[in-house]
Amino acid sequence: MLSRITKVAACALALSPLTGFAQETDRTWYLNVSLNSFGLDDTSTEESRVVESCSLGVTGCSSSTETTKYDTSFDSDNTLSLIGGYYAETVRVELEYTQVDSDLDTNSASEETLELNLLMVNVWKDFDLYGFKPYAGGSFGLGFAEQGDTDDEFVLARLGFGLNFDLIDRARLDIGYRLMYAEPDMVMEGSNREIVRDLRGGSFVIGLGYAF
């Protein structure tokens, strides 16, 4: 994880001399579209299924719960985020929506896709450092996860940092990294099964914003 963050920071610093910084105006509201290379960390999954068994000559059937544990890895997904933001001097407040589809790679028999819908409030602190415009901050929000016939709502938080580059008047390029933490032991429930796992991950971000 540390090596990925280092690569993003190095890339942003390498690009900074290539862009001129436009003079700040009285801009307050802005829209941003970001391309995210989103990846979830490998995790351990516990899955419980309700199994019914019926015997010949016996009236009725009985049910039992079978629990298995297996390791899960996730394919990365390149996805877009839609962001609306507001400048408040050196602090920016944003509302962001992202949808992620990640195929699961497990040692179980099932092959499914995990779909995440994330709605977050971001708060970023902007700095002016020797001509560079770095920022850092965090996010909190709600997510909806769906895998097969199971789903769950959960709370998540993120930490992030990056660099902004003014391209032309009112247009800005954003290069950054986000580290996501979902609530621990997230429980996804379906009609006859339950999936418990932790979700953590990160995303590289390249965004283009326009201020009004």
Side-chain angles (χ1 to χ4, degrees), residues 38 40 77 79-81 96-102 113-120 141-147 150-156 158 180 182 186 188 199:
F38 190 94
L40 291 168
D77 183 31
T79 185
L80 293 176
S81 292
E96 176 179 351
Y97 172 76
T98 305
Q99 179 180 324
V100 179
D101 293 317
S102 182
T113 297
L114 177 66
E115 179 180 316
L116 302 176
N117 288 276
L118 311 176
L119 184 63
M120 290 160 289
L142 297 175
F144 181 77
E146 187 173 6
Q147 176 186 331
T150 66
D151 57 56
D152 183 40
E153 296 178 353
F154 61 95
V155 178
L156 71 148
R158 295 189 312 179
M180 185 199 80
M186 187 178 72
M188 303 177 63
L199 283 183

PDB file of all heavy atoms in Angstrom, residues 38 40 77 79-81 96-102 113-120 141-147 150-156 158 180 182 186 188 199:
ATOM      1  N   PHE A  38      -9.838   1.721  -8.759  1.00  0.00           N
ATOM      2  CA  PHE A  38     -10.286   1.325  -7.430  1.00  0.00           C
ATOM      3  C   PHE A  38      -9.931  -0.138  -7.185  1.00  0.00           C
ATOM      4  O   PHE A  38     -10.204  -1.011  -8.021  1.00  0.00           O
ATOM      5  CB  PHE A  38     -11.797   1.507  -7.323  1.00  0.00           C
ATOM      6  CG  PHE A  38     -12.347   1.349  -5.933  1.00  0.00           C
ATOM      7  CD1 PHE A  38     -12.536   2.448  -5.120  1.00  0.00           C
ATOM      8  CD2 PHE A  38     -12.663   0.095  -5.448  1.00  0.00           C
ATOM      9  CE1 PHE A  38     -13.050   2.301  -3.840  1.00  0.00           C
ATOM     10  CE2 PHE A  38     -13.175  -0.063  -4.179  1.00  0.00           C
ATOM     11  CZ  PHE A  38     -13.367   1.041  -3.369  1.00  0.00           C
ATOM     12  N   LEU A  40      -9.846  -3.222  -3.939  1.00  0.00           N
ATOM     13  CA  LEU A  40     -10.127  -3.668  -2.581  1.00  0.00           C
ATOM     14  C   LEU A  40      -9.039  -4.628  -2.123  1.00  0.00           C
ATOM     15  O   LEU A  40      -8.534  -5.437  -2.907  1.00  0.00           O
ATOM     16  CB  LEU A  40     -11.488  -4.357  -2.504  1.00  0.00           C
ATOM     17  CG  LEU A  40     -12.714  -3.459  -2.686  1.00  0.00           C
ATOM     18  CD1 LEU A  40     -13.967  -4.304  -2.880  1.00  0.00           C
ATOM     19  CD2 LEU A  40     -12.884  -2.523  -1.504  1.00  0.00           C
ATOM     20  N   ASP A  77     -11.240  -2.123 -10.456  1.00  0.00           N
ATOM     21  CA  ASP A  77     -12.259  -1.565 -11.340  1.00  0.00           C
ATOM     22  C   ASP A  77     -11.928  -0.108 -11.632  1.00  0.00           C
ATOM     23  O   ASP A  77     -11.590   0.650 -10.726  1.00  0.00           O
ATOM     24  CB  ASP A  77     -13.644  -1.669 -10.694  1.00  0.00           C
ATOM     25  CG  ASP A  77     -14.748  -1.178 -11.609  1.00  0.00           C
ATOM     26  OD1 ASP A  77     -14.607  -1.317 -12.836  1.00  0.00           O
ATOM     27  OD2 ASP A  77     -15.758  -0.651 -11.091  1.00  0.00           O
ATOM     28  N   THR A  79     -13.518   3.252 -12.586  1.00  0.00           N
ATOM     29  CA  THR A  79     -14.866   3.791 -12.509  1.00  0.00           C
ATOM     30  C   THR A  79     -14.826   5.314 -12.383  1.00  0.00           C
ATOM     31  O   THR A  79     -13.782   5.891 -12.086  1.00  0.00           O
ATOM     32  CB  THR A  79     -15.611   3.182 -11.308  1.00  0.00           C
ATOM     33  OG1 THR A  79     -16.961   3.620 -11.307  1.00  0.00           O
ATOM     34  CG2 THR A  79     -14.949   3.572 -10.004  1.00  0.00           C
ATOM     35  N   LEU A  80     -15.964   5.936 -12.637  1.00  0.00           N
ATOM     36  CA  LEU A  80     -16.063   7.392 -12.571  1.00  0.00           C
ATOM     37  C   LEU A  80     -16.755   7.830 -11.283  1.00  0.00           C
ATOM     38  O   LEU A  80     -17.645   7.146 -10.780  1.00  0.00           O
ATOM     39  CB  LEU A  80     -16.846   7.934 -13.767  1.00  0.00           C
ATOM     40  CG  LEU A  80     -16.201   7.779 -15.141  1.00  0.00           C
ATOM     41  CD1 LEU A  80     -17.147   8.288 -16.214  1.00  0.00           C
ATOM     42  CD2 LEU A  80     -14.873   8.511 -15.219  1.00  0.00           C
ATOM     43  N   SER A  81     -16.339   8.987 -10.779  1.00  0.00           N
ATOM     44  CA  SER A  81     -17.010   9.634  -9.655  1.00  0.00           C
ATOM     45  C   SER A  81     -17.572  10.971 -10.114  1.00  0.00           C
ATOM     46  O   SER A  81     -16.910  11.698 -10.865  1.00  0.00           O
ATOM     47  CB  SER A  81     -16.035   9.869  -8.496  1.00  0.00           C
ATOM     48  OG  SER A  81     -15.625   8.664  -7.911  1.00  0.00           O
ATOM     49  N   GLU A  96     -19.929  13.429  -3.153  1.00  0.00           N
ATOM     50  CA  GLU A  96     -19.393  12.547  -4.196  1.00  0.00           C
ATOM     51  C   GLU A  96     -20.183  11.247  -4.277  1.00  0.00           C
ATOM     52  O   GLU A  96     -20.515  10.642  -3.256  1.00  0.00           O
ATOM     53  CB  GLU A  96     -17.923  12.232  -3.905  1.00  0.00           C
ATOM     54  CG  GLU A  96     -17.289  11.245  -4.876  1.00  0.00           C
ATOM     55  CD  GLU A  96     -15.827  10.977  -4.563  1.00  0.00           C
ATOM     56  OE1 GLU A  96     -15.263  11.695  -3.689  1.00  0.00           O
ATOM     57  OE2 GLU A  96     -15.243  10.071  -5.175  1.00  0.00           O
ATOM     58  N   TYR A  97     -20.432  10.817  -5.524  1.00  0.00           N
ATOM     59  CA  TYR A  97     -21.088   9.514  -5.762  1.00  0.00           C
ATOM     60  C   TYR A  97     -20.198   8.659  -6.643  1.00  0.00           C
ATOM     61  O   TYR A  97     -19.680   9.122  -7.667  1.00  0.00           O
ATOM     62  CB  TYR A  97     -22.447   9.693  -6.436  1.00  0.00           C
ATOM     63  CG  TYR A  97     -23.045   8.364  -6.876  1.00  0.00           C
ATOM     64  CD1 TYR A  97     -23.610   7.496  -5.937  1.00  0.00           C
ATOM     65  CD2 TYR A  97     -23.001   7.972  -8.203  1.00  0.00           C
ATOM     66  CE1 TYR A  97     -24.125   6.267  -6.324  1.00  0.00           C
ATOM     67  CE2 TYR A  97     -23.523   6.747  -8.597  1.00  0.00           C
ATOM     68  CZ  TYR A  97     -24.087   5.901  -7.657  1.00  0.00           C
ATOM     69  OH  TYR A  97     -24.579   4.685  -8.042  1.00  0.00           O
ATOM     70  N   THR A  98     -20.033   7.387  -6.234  1.00  0.00           N
ATOM     71  CA  THR A  98     -19.201   6.439  -6.983  1.00  0.00           C
ATOM     72  C   THR A  98     -19.872   5.075  -6.983  1.00  0.00           C
ATOM     73  O   THR A  98     -20.424   4.641  -5.964  1.00  0.00           O
ATOM     74  CB  THR A  98     -17.807   6.295  -6.351  1.00  0.00           C
ATOM     75  OG1 THR A  98     -17.202   7.573  -6.227  1.00  0.00           O
ATOM     76  CG2 THR A  98     -16.917   5.401  -7.194  1.00  0.00           C
ATOM     77  N   GLN A  99     -19.815   4.390  -8.123  1.00  0.00           N
ATOM     78  CA  GLN A  99     -20.275   3.002  -8.218  1.00  0.00           C
ATOM     79  C   GLN A  99     -19.100   2.131  -8.633  1.00  0.00           C
ATOM     80  O   GLN A  99     -18.373   2.456  -9.573  1.00  0.00           O
ATOM     81  CB  GLN A  99     -21.405   2.849  -9.225  1.00  0.00           C
ATOM     82  CG  GLN A  99     -21.888   1.397  -9.356  1.00  0.00           C
ATOM     83  CD  GLN A  99     -23.027   1.240 -10.358  1.00  0.00           C
ATOM     84  OE1 GLN A  99     -23.880   2.108 -10.463  1.00  0.00           O
ATOM     85  NE2 GLN A  99     -23.018   0.136 -11.082  1.00  0.00           N
ATOM     86  N   VAL A 100     -18.910   1.020  -7.922  1.00  0.00           N
ATOM     87  CA  VAL A 100     -17.794   0.113  -8.172  1.00  0.00           C
ATOM     88  C   VAL A 100     -18.337  -1.291  -8.400  1.00  0.00           C
ATOM     89  O   VAL A 100     -19.188  -1.765  -7.635  1.00  0.00           O
ATOM     90  CB  VAL A 100     -16.807   0.101  -6.979  1.00  0.00           C
ATOM     91  CG1 VAL A 100     -15.675  -0.872  -7.240  1.00  0.00           C
ATOM     92  CG2 VAL A 100     -16.275   1.495  -6.710  1.00  0.00           C
ATOM     93  N   ASP A 101     -17.848  -1.956  -9.456  1.00  0.00           N
ATOM     94  CA  ASP A 101     -18.168  -3.360  -9.721  1.00  0.00           C
ATOM     95  C   ASP A 101     -16.867  -4.144  -9.698  1.00  0.00           C
ATOM     96  O   ASP A 101     -15.969  -3.886 -10.515  1.00  0.00           O
ATOM     97  CB  ASP A 101     -18.865  -3.535 -11.067  1.00  0.00           C
ATOM     98  CG  ASP A 101     -20.242  -2.900 -11.100  1.00  0.00           C
ATOM     99  OD1 ASP A 101     -20.975  -3.051 -10.113  1.00  0.00           O
ATOM    100  OD2 ASP A 101     -20.583  -2.252 -12.103  1.00  0.00           O
ATOM    101  N   SER A 102     -16.766  -5.102  -8.785  1.00  0.00           N
ATOM    102  CA  SER A 102     -15.523  -5.849  -8.618  1.00  0.00           C
ATOM    103  C   SER A 102     -15.809  -7.347  -8.623  1.00  0.00           C
ATOM    104  O   SER A 102     -16.576  -7.843  -7.786  1.00  0.00           O
ATOM    105  CB  SER A 102     -14.836  -5.448  -7.310  1.00  0.00           C
ATOM    106  OG  SER A 102     -13.617  -6.133  -7.150  1.00  0.00           O
ATOM    107  N   THR A 113     -20.057 -11.080  -8.405  1.00  0.00           N
ATOM    108  CA  THR A 113     -19.531  -9.728  -8.479  1.00  0.00           C
ATOM    109  C   THR A 113     -20.039  -8.923  -7.290  1.00  0.00           C
ATOM    110  O   THR A 113     -21.217  -9.009  -6.935  1.00  0.00           O
ATOM    111  CB  THR A 113     -19.968  -9.039  -9.785  1.00  0.00           C
ATOM    112  OG1 THR A 113     -19.429  -9.754 -10.895  1.00  0.00           O
ATOM    113  CG2 THR A 113     -19.473  -7.599  -9.829  1.00  0.00           C
ATOM    114  N   LEU A 114     -19.145  -8.169  -6.675  1.00  0.00           N
ATOM    115  CA  LEU A 114     -19.521  -7.276  -5.589  1.00  0.00           C
ATOM    116  C   LEU A 114     -19.747  -5.889  -6.177  1.00  0.00           C
ATOM    117  O   LEU A 114     -18.854  -5.314  -6.803  1.00  0.00           O
ATOM    118  CB  LEU A 114     -18.425  -7.229  -4.528  1.00  0.00           C
ATOM    119  CG  LEU A 114     -18.653  -6.264  -3.365  1.00  0.00           C
ATOM    120  CD1 LEU A 114     -19.845  -6.703  -2.528  1.00  0.00           C
ATOM    121  CD2 LEU A 114     -17.402  -6.143  -2.503  1.00  0.00           C
ATOM    122  N   GLU A 115     -20.952  -5.349  -5.975  1.00  0.00           N
ATOM    123  CA  GLU A 115     -21.281  -4.005  -6.451  1.00  0.00           C
ATOM    124  C   GLU A 115     -21.402  -3.070  -5.254  1.00  0.00           C
ATOM    125  O   GLU A 115     -22.122  -3.361  -4.301  1.00  0.00           O
ATOM    126  CB  GLU A 115     -22.581  -4.004  -7.245  1.00  0.00           C
ATOM    127  CG  GLU A 115     -22.988  -2.624  -7.744  1.00  0.00           C
ATOM    128  CD  GLU A 115     -24.283  -2.638  -8.539  1.00  0.00           C
ATOM    129  OE1 GLU A 115     -24.443  -3.538  -9.380  1.00  0.00           O
ATOM    130  OE2 GLU A 115     -25.129  -1.743  -8.297  1.00  0.00           O
ATOM    131  N   LEU A 116     -20.698  -1.958  -5.321  1.00  0.00           N
ATOM    132  CA  LEU A 116     -20.722  -0.955  -4.262  1.00  0.00           C
ATOM    133  C   LEU A 116     -21.248   0.368  -4.819  1.00  0.00           C
ATOM    134  O   LEU A 116     -20.798   0.830  -5.870  1.00  0.00           O
ATOM    135  CB  LEU A 116     -19.318  -0.726  -3.685  1.00  0.00           C
ATOM    136  CG  LEU A 116     -18.595  -1.929  -3.090  1.00  0.00           C
ATOM    137  CD1 LEU A 116     -17.189  -1.525  -2.668  1.00  0.00           C
ATOM    138  CD2 LEU A 116     -19.372  -2.509  -1.918  1.00  0.00           C
ATOM    139  N   ASN A 117     -22.198   0.952  -4.122  1.00  0.00           N
ATOM    140  CA  ASN A 117     -22.661   2.304  -4.410  1.00  0.00           C
ATOM    141  C   ASN A 117     -22.315   3.169  -3.208  1.00  0.00           C
ATOM    142  O   ASN A 117     -22.790   2.903  -2.091  1.00  0.00           O
ATOM    143  CB  ASN A 117     -24.170   2.320  -4.672  1.00  0.00           C
ATOM    144  CG  ASN A 117     -24.524   1.694  -6.008  1.00  0.00           C
ATOM    145  OD1 ASN A 117     -24.486   2.344  -7.045  1.00  0.00           O
ATOM    146  ND2 ASN A 117     -24.857   0.400  -5.989  1.00  0.00           N
ATOM    147  N   LEU A 118     -21.486   4.203  -3.427  1.00  0.00           N
ATOM    148  CA  LEU A 118     -20.931   4.992  -2.337  1.00  0.00           C
ATOM    149  C   LEU A 118     -21.350   6.451  -2.481  1.00  0.00           C
ATOM    150  O   LEU A 118     -21.190   7.055  -3.549  1.00  0.00           O
ATOM    151  CB  LEU A 118     -19.401   4.912  -2.344  1.00  0.00           C
ATOM    152  CG  LEU A 118     -18.793   3.496  -2.442  1.00  0.00           C
ATOM    153  CD1 LEU A 118     -17.289   3.584  -2.543  1.00  0.00           C
ATOM    154  CD2 LEU A 118     -19.221   2.645  -1.262  1.00  0.00           C
ATOM    155  N   LEU A 119     -21.876   7.018  -1.399  1.00  0.00           N
ATOM    156  CA  LEU A 119     -22.224   8.443  -1.343  1.00  0.00           C
ATOM    157  C   LEU A 119     -21.461   9.047  -0.173  1.00  0.00           C
ATOM    158  O   LEU A 119     -21.677   8.657   0.982  1.00  0.00           O
ATOM    159  CB  LEU A 119     -23.726   8.625  -1.156  1.00  0.00           C
ATOM    160  CG  LEU A 119     -24.235  10.070  -1.169  1.00  0.00           C
ATOM    161  CD1 LEU A 119     -23.972  10.715  -2.530  1.00  0.00           C
ATOM    162  CD2 LEU A 119     -25.720  10.125  -0.826  1.00  0.00           C
ATOM    163  N   MET A 120     -20.591  10.009  -0.469  1.00  0.00           N
ATOM    164  CA  MET A 120     -19.659  10.507   0.544  1.00  0.00           C
ATOM    165  C   MET A 120     -19.646  12.029   0.612  1.00  0.00           C
ATOM    166  O   MET A 120     -19.881  12.711  -0.386  1.00  0.00           O
ATOM    167  CB  MET A 120     -18.240  10.010   0.234  1.00  0.00           C
ATOM    168  CG  MET A 120     -18.055   8.515   0.444  1.00  0.00           C
ATOM    169  SD  MET A 120     -16.622   7.889  -0.461  1.00  0.00           S
ATOM    170  CE  MET A 120     -17.228   7.982  -2.146  1.00  0.00           C
ATOM    171  N   GLY A 141     -19.300   8.656   4.840  1.00  0.00           N
ATOM    172  CA  GLY A 141     -20.501   8.485   4.023  1.00  0.00           C
ATOM    173  C   GLY A 141     -21.175   7.155   4.243  1.00  0.00           C
ATOM    174  O   GLY A 141     -20.866   6.410   5.186  1.00  0.00           O
ATOM    175  N   LEU A 142     -22.088   6.862   3.335  1.00  0.00           N
ATOM    176  CA  LEU A 142     -22.868   5.636   3.373  1.00  0.00           C
ATOM    177  C   LEU A 142     -22.628   4.837   2.095  1.00  0.00           C
ATOM    178  O   LEU A 142     -22.413   5.410   1.025  1.00  0.00           O
ATOM    179  CB  LEU A 142     -24.364   5.945   3.507  1.00  0.00           C
ATOM    180  CG  LEU A 142     -24.808   6.663   4.780  1.00  0.00           C
ATOM    181  CD1 LEU A 142     -26.297   6.996   4.690  1.00  0.00           C
ATOM    182  CD2 LEU A 142     -24.542   5.791   6.013  1.00  0.00           C
ATOM    183  N   GLY A 143     -22.675   3.527   2.230  1.00  0.00           N
ATOM    184  CA  GLY A 143     -22.508   2.659   1.078  1.00  0.00           C
ATOM    185  C   GLY A 143     -23.579   1.594   1.050  1.00  0.00           C
ATOM    186  O   GLY A 143     -24.177   1.248   2.076  1.00  0.00           O
ATOM    187  N   PHE A 144     -23.843   1.092  -0.151  1.00  0.00           N
ATOM    188  CA  PHE A 144     -24.770  -0.023  -0.340  1.00  0.00           C
ATOM    189  C   PHE A 144     -24.024  -1.092  -1.119  1.00  0.00           C
ATOM    190  O   PHE A 144     -23.519  -0.838  -2.218  1.00  0.00           O
ATOM    191  CB  PHE A 144     -26.021   0.404  -1.090  1.00  0.00           C
ATOM    192  CG  PHE A 144     -27.013  -0.705  -1.295  1.00  0.00           C
ATOM    193  CD1 PHE A 144     -27.827  -1.121  -0.260  1.00  0.00           C
ATOM    194  CD2 PHE A 144     -27.116  -1.339  -2.524  1.00  0.00           C
ATOM    195  CE1 PHE A 144     -28.733  -2.165  -0.442  1.00  0.00           C
ATOM    196  CE2 PHE A 144     -28.015  -2.377  -2.721  1.00  0.00           C
ATOM    197  CZ  PHE A 144     -28.833  -2.784  -1.676  1.00  0.00           C
ATOM    198  N   ALA A 145     -23.918  -2.292  -0.541  1.00  0.00           N
ATOM    199  CA  ALA A 145     -23.194  -3.407  -1.150  1.00  0.00           C
ATOM    200  C   ALA A 145     -24.176  -4.488  -1.575  1.00  0.00           C
ATOM    201  O   ALA A 145     -25.124  -4.793  -0.858  1.00  0.00           O
ATOM    202  CB  ALA A 145     -22.171  -3.982  -0.177  1.00  0.00           C
ATOM    203  N   GLU A 146     -23.910  -5.067  -2.752  1.00  0.00           N
ATOM    204  CA  GLU A 146     -24.767  -6.132  -3.268  1.00  0.00           C
ATOM    205  C   GLU A 146     -23.898  -7.210  -3.905  1.00  0.00           C
ATOM    206  O   GLU A 146     -23.022  -6.921  -4.712  1.00  0.00           O
ATOM    207  CB  GLU A 146     -25.743  -5.568  -4.301  1.00  0.00           C
ATOM    208  CG  GLU A 146     -26.789  -6.568  -4.762  1.00  0.00           C
ATOM    209  CD  GLU A 146     -27.842  -5.941  -5.654  1.00  0.00           C
ATOM    210  OE1 GLU A 146     -27.680  -4.738  -5.992  1.00  0.00           O
ATOM    211  OE2 GLU A 146     -28.806  -6.620  -6.020  1.00  0.00           O
ATOM    212  N   GLN A 147     -24.136  -8.445  -3.507  1.00  0.00           N
ATOM    213  CA  GLN A 147     -23.428  -9.594  -4.067  1.00  0.00           C
ATOM    214  C   GLN A 147     -24.421 -10.739  -4.205  1.00  0.00           C
ATOM    215  O   GLN A 147     -24.909 -11.282  -3.203  1.00  0.00           O
ATOM    216  CB  GLN A 147     -22.266 -10.020  -3.167  1.00  0.00           C
ATOM    217  CG  GLN A 147     -21.546 -11.268  -3.662  1.00  0.00           C
ATOM    218  CD  GLN A 147     -20.485 -11.751  -2.689  1.00  0.00           C
ATOM    219  OE1 GLN A 147     -19.890 -10.961  -1.950  1.00  0.00           O
ATOM    220  NE2 GLN A 147     -20.227 -13.050  -2.686  1.00  0.00           N
ATOM    221  N   THR A 150     -27.502 -11.240  -1.834  1.00  0.00           N
ATOM    222  CA  THR A 150     -27.248 -10.619  -0.534  1.00  0.00           C
ATOM    223  C   THR A 150     -26.965  -9.129  -0.711  1.00  0.00           C
ATOM    224  O   THR A 150     -26.473  -8.691  -1.752  1.00  0.00           O
ATOM    225  CB  THR A 150     -26.059 -11.266   0.185  1.00  0.00           C
ATOM    226  OG1 THR A 150     -24.858 -11.000  -0.549  1.00  0.00           O
ATOM    227  CG2 THR A 150     -26.261 -12.770   0.295  1.00  0.00           C
ATOM    228  N   ASP A 151     -27.261  -8.351   0.320  1.00  0.00           N
ATOM    229  CA  ASP A 151     -26.956  -6.920   0.283  1.00  0.00           C
ATOM    230  C   ASP A 151     -26.845  -6.393   1.704  1.00  0.00           C
ATOM    231  O   ASP A 151     -27.231  -7.048   2.664  1.00  0.00           O
ATOM    232  CB  ASP A 151     -28.021  -6.148  -0.509  1.00  0.00           C
ATOM    233  CG  ASP A 151     -29.421  -6.343   0.042  1.00  0.00           C
ATOM    234  OD1 ASP A 151     -29.635  -6.070   1.241  1.00  0.00           O
ATOM    235  OD2 ASP A 151     -30.314  -6.773  -0.709  1.00  0.00           O
ATOM    236  N   ASP A 152     -26.311  -5.161   1.798  1.00  0.00           N
ATOM    237  CA  ASP A 152     -26.160  -4.532   3.109  1.00  0.00           C
ATOM    238  C   ASP A 152     -25.863  -3.057   2.920  1.00  0.00           C
ATOM    239  O   ASP A 152     -25.238  -2.643   1.933  1.00  0.00           O
ATOM    240  CB  ASP A 152     -25.023  -5.181   3.906  1.00  0.00           C
ATOM    241  CG  ASP A 152     -24.886  -4.603   5.306  1.00  0.00           C
ATOM    242  OD1 ASP A 152     -25.937  -4.352   5.933  1.00  0.00           O
ATOM    243  OD2 ASP A 152     -23.745  -4.381   5.762  1.00  0.00           O
ATOM    244  N   GLU A 153     -26.315  -2.241   3.857  1.00  0.00           N
ATOM    245  CA  GLU A 153     -25.933  -0.844   3.937  1.00  0.00           C
ATOM    246  C   GLU A 153     -24.846  -0.710   4.997  1.00  0.00           C
ATOM    247  O   GLU A 153     -24.887  -1.379   6.033  1.00  0.00           O
ATOM    248  CB  GLU A 153     -27.135   0.020   4.302  1.00  0.00           C
ATOM    249  CG  GLU A 153     -28.239   0.018   3.250  1.00  0.00           C
ATOM    250  CD  GLU A 153     -29.439   0.841   3.678  1.00  0.00           C
ATOM    251  OE1 GLU A 153     -29.447   1.292   4.840  1.00  0.00           O
ATOM    252  OE2 GLU A 153     -30.346   1.041   2.858  1.00  0.00           O
ATOM    253  N   PHE A 154     -23.880   0.174   4.764  1.00  0.00           N
ATOM    254  CA  PHE A 154     -22.763   0.280   5.688  1.00  0.00           C
ATOM    255  C   PHE A 154     -22.238   1.714   5.712  1.00  0.00           C
ATOM    256  O   PHE A 154     -22.525   2.531   4.836  1.00  0.00           O
ATOM    257  CB  PHE A 154     -21.640  -0.689   5.312  1.00  0.00           C
ATOM    258  CG  PHE A 154     -21.045  -0.457   3.942  1.00  0.00           C
ATOM    259  CD1 PHE A 154     -19.903   0.308   3.779  1.00  0.00           C
ATOM    260  CD2 PHE A 154     -21.636  -1.014   2.817  1.00  0.00           C
ATOM    261  CE1 PHE A 154     -19.355   0.520   2.534  1.00  0.00           C
ATOM    262  CE2 PHE A 154     -21.099  -0.804   1.557  1.00  0.00           C
ATOM    263  CZ  PHE A 154     -19.954  -0.040   1.416  1.00  0.00           C
ATOM    264  N   VAL A 155     -21.460   1.984   6.750  1.00  0.00           N
ATOM    265  CA  VAL A 155     -20.808   3.282   6.929  1.00  0.00           C
ATOM    266  C   VAL A 155     -19.352   3.149   6.508  1.00  0.00           C
ATOM    267  O   VAL A 155     -18.714   2.123   6.756  1.00  0.00           O
ATOM    268  CB  VAL A 155     -20.904   3.744   8.393  1.00  0.00           C
ATOM    269  CG1 VAL A 155     -20.178   5.066   8.593  1.00  0.00           C
ATOM    270  CG2 VAL A 155     -22.363   3.866   8.821  1.00  0.00           C
ATOM    271  N   LEU A 156     -18.816   4.194   5.865  1.00  0.00           N
ATOM    272  CA  LEU A 156     -17.418   4.148   5.449  1.00  0.00           C
ATOM    273  C   LEU A 156     -16.740   5.483   5.704  1.00  0.00           C
ATOM    274  O   LEU A 156     -17.404   6.520   5.848  1.00  0.00           O
ATOM    275  CB  LEU A 156     -17.293   3.784   3.969  1.00  0.00           C
ATOM    276  CG  LEU A 156     -17.732   4.835   2.949  1.00  0.00           C
ATOM    277  CD1 LEU A 156     -16.892   4.731   1.689  1.00  0.00           C
ATOM    278  CD2 LEU A 156     -19.203   4.646   2.589  1.00  0.00           C
ATOM    279  N   ARG A 158     -12.855   7.679   4.589  1.00  0.00           N
ATOM    280  CA  ARG A 158     -11.681   7.696   3.724  1.00  0.00           C
ATOM    281  C   ARG A 158     -10.690   8.756   4.187  1.00  0.00           C
ATOM    282  O   ARG A 158     -11.070   9.770   4.758  1.00  0.00           O
ATOM    283  CB  ARG A 158     -12.051   8.003   2.264  1.00  0.00           C
ATOM    284  CG  ARG A 158     -12.892   6.978   1.576  1.00  0.00           C
ATOM    285  CD  ARG A 158     -13.014   7.283   0.086  1.00  0.00           C
ATOM    286  NE  ARG A 158     -13.369   8.676  -0.172  1.00  0.00           N
ATOM    287  CZ  ARG A 158     -13.523   9.186  -1.386  1.00  0.00           C
ATOM    288  NH1 ARG A 158     -13.338   8.428  -2.451  1.00  0.00           N
ATOM    289  NH2 ARG A 158     -13.851  10.464  -1.551  1.00  0.00           N
ATOM    290  N   MET A 180      -9.730   3.827   1.726  1.00  0.00           N
ATOM    291  CA  MET A 180     -11.096   3.621   2.221  1.00  0.00           C
ATOM    292  C   MET A 180     -11.149   2.565   3.318  1.00  0.00           C
ATOM    293  O   MET A 180     -10.492   1.527   3.232  1.00  0.00           O
ATOM    294  CB  MET A 180     -12.002   3.178   1.070  1.00  0.00           C
ATOM    295  CG  MET A 180     -13.475   3.053   1.458  1.00  0.00           C
ATOM    296  SD  MET A 180     -14.449   2.039   0.305  1.00  0.00           S
ATOM    297  CE  MET A 180     -14.009   0.374   0.851  1.00  0.00           C
ATOM    298  N   ALA A 182     -14.305   0.592   5.424  1.00  0.00           N
ATOM    299  CA  ALA A 182     -15.715   0.364   5.715  1.00  0.00           C
ATOM    300  C   ALA A 182     -15.839  -0.167   7.140  1.00  0.00           C
ATOM    301  O   ALA A 182     -14.856  -0.590   7.754  1.00  0.00           O
ATOM    302  CB  ALA A 182     -16.321  -0.627   4.727  1.00  0.00           C
ATOM    303  N   MET A 186     -18.746  -6.358   8.195  1.00  0.00           N
ATOM    304  CA  MET A 186     -19.953  -6.016   7.443  1.00  0.00           C
ATOM    305  C   MET A 186     -20.736  -7.299   7.134  1.00  0.00           C
ATOM    306  O   MET A 186     -20.168  -8.286   6.678  1.00  0.00           O
ATOM    307  CB  MET A 186     -19.582  -5.311   6.148  1.00  0.00           C
ATOM    308  CG  MET A 186     -20.755  -4.765   5.380  1.00  0.00           C
ATOM    309  SD  MET A 186     -20.234  -3.889   3.891  1.00  0.00           S
ATOM    310  CE  MET A 186     -19.702  -5.251   2.871  1.00  0.00           C
ATOM    311  N   MET A 188     -23.675  -9.067   5.010  1.00  0.00           N
ATOM    312  CA  MET A 188     -24.567  -9.025   3.858  1.00  0.00           C
ATOM    313  C   MET A 188     -25.529 -10.211   3.963  1.00  0.00           C
ATOM    314  O   MET A 188     -25.097 -11.361   4.052  1.00  0.00           O
ATOM    315  CB  MET A 188     -23.762  -9.085   2.557  1.00  0.00           C
ATOM    316  CG  MET A 188     -22.735  -7.979   2.422  1.00  0.00           C
ATOM    317  SD  MET A 188     -21.721  -8.120   0.926  1.00  0.00           S
ATOM    318  CE  MET A 188     -22.995  -7.931  -0.340  1.00  0.00           C
ATOM    319  N   LEU A 199     -14.139  -4.748   4.574  1.00  0.00           N
ATOM    320  CA  LEU A 199     -13.828  -4.122   3.294  1.00  0.00           C
ATOM    321  C   LEU A 199     -12.899  -2.936   3.517  1.00  0.00           C
ATOM    322  O   LEU A 199     -13.234  -1.990   4.235  1.00  0.00           O
ATOM    323  CB  LEU A 199     -15.099  -3.640   2.586  1.00  0.00           C
ATOM    324  CG  LEU A 199     -15.964  -4.678   1.883  1.00  0.00           C
ATOM    325  CD1 LEU A 199     -17.126  -4.005   1.178  1.00  0.00           C
ATOM    326  CD2 LEU A 199     -15.144  -5.495   0.884  1.00  0.00           C
TER     327      LEU A 199
END
